[in-house]
Amino acid sequence: MADVGALVGGGVALVVGVLSWTQSRATNRRSDFLAITERLDKEVAVERTQRKLLTLAYLDLHRWARLVGPNTPAGPAPEPPADLDLTPWRS
């Protein structure tokens, strides 16, 4: 009878261990998901800002090109906004 009690106790301990292990894995997956989504949200916000600045620079250049015709002397082209990150195109 004592052996059955020990087996039952060991079985219960094993089941509790497996349940707590799966729960901790689920918690880790949830926290990983939250970390990934927060990072993606930040990257999307930065990309939106860069797209906005790039659009403004393009519109400034387009306005300058309309003012400077084929027979008028061309002044310097407008500089892009200081916040615009042009490193992907400078390589």
Side-chain angles (χ1 to χ4, degrees), residues 2-14:
D3 292 335
V4 172
L7 286 175
V8 169
V12 168
L14 181 65

Side-chain angles (χ1 to χ4, degrees), residues 5-58:
L7 286 175
V8 169
V12 168
L14 181 65
V15 168
V16 168
V18 167
L19 288 176
S20 66
W21 177 73
T22 56
Q23 181 65 32
S24 69
R25 284 190 61 218
T27 302
N28 286 342
R29 275 189 257 134
R30 239 179 269 123
S31 66
D32 289 348
F33 178 76
L34 289 175
I36 290 169
T37 53
E38 286 174 3
R39 180 178 170 191
L40 287 174
D41 287 342
K42 288 176 187 173
E43 288 178 3
V44 165
V46 168
E47 185 176 343
R48 282 186 181 149
T49 302
Q50 288 297 309
R51 284 179 185 255
K52 208 176 287 184
L53 291 170
L54 186 61
T55 302
L56 290 174
Y58 175 77

Side-chain angles (χ1 to χ4, degrees), residues 61 64-65 67-69 71-79:
L61 192 60
W64 174 80
L67 293 176
V68 177
N71 298 331
T72 53
E79 288 293 319

